[in-house]
Amino acid sequence: HGRDGRFVLMIQLGKPKTVDRAQIERVRDAVEAMLPSEYDDVAVMVNQVECKEPGCAPIETIVSLLIEKAPLKFTVFKPVADVAVEDLREGLVAIGVNPLAPEAPQ
């Protein structure tokens, strides 16, 4: 609602932004690979969202660990296609998860 009680209609011009499912899967898989064994039963959800608030990144990636009693989440302030492994590592540390070191190439 607008301040005077009327509904506010927002119209977005141009093509809607589509999210590349492969990029979502890439980020989810990378997070899952970094989780210690106590998180083996935890689902990982990755979403790309647009932020319309002043001062925030226009497109953010939110990573959620769906823990039954206390879900955890962190935000990377860039589109999912631009998210790097180091962004994910920093996000996990920020929410109190000690990420595993990446496996050495065979």
Side-chain angles (χ1 to χ4, degrees):
H1 292 306
R3 289 187 181 183
D4 61 358
R6 292 181 293 165
F7 283 96
V8 176
L9 175 64
M10 297 194 69
I11 300 172
Q12 181 177 356
L13 300 176
K15 292 182 178 178
K17 293 180 178 74
T18 57
V19 179
D20 183 347
R21 301 303 310 163
Q23 292 296 334
I24 294 282
E25 291 173 13
R26 174 187 67 84
V27 169
R28 186 191 62 229
D29 291 348
V31 170
E32 288 175 348
M34 285 188 262
L35 291 176
S37 60
E38 63 262 29
Y39 294 91
D40 283 352
D41 294 335
V42 173
V44 175
M45 185 170 66
V46 177
N47 292 300
Q48 177 176 284
V49 297
E50 288 187 56
C51 181
K52 306 268 189 235
E53 302 283 324
C56 75
I59 299 178
E60 307 172 339
T61 300
I62 299 173
V63 178
S64 303
L65 304 183
L66 303 178
I67 300 169
E68 189 174 329
K69 293 186 170 103
L72 299 172
K73 74 175 183 176
F74 63 90
T75 302
V76 179
F77 298 100
K78 54 179 81 166
V80 70
D82 296 340
V83 173
V85 170
E86 193 53 38
D87 298 321
L88 301 174
R89 187 171 305 287
E90 289 172 8
L92 288 169
V93 168
I95 61 172
V97 176
N98 187 22
L100 299 175
E103 291 184 22
Q106 308 260 328

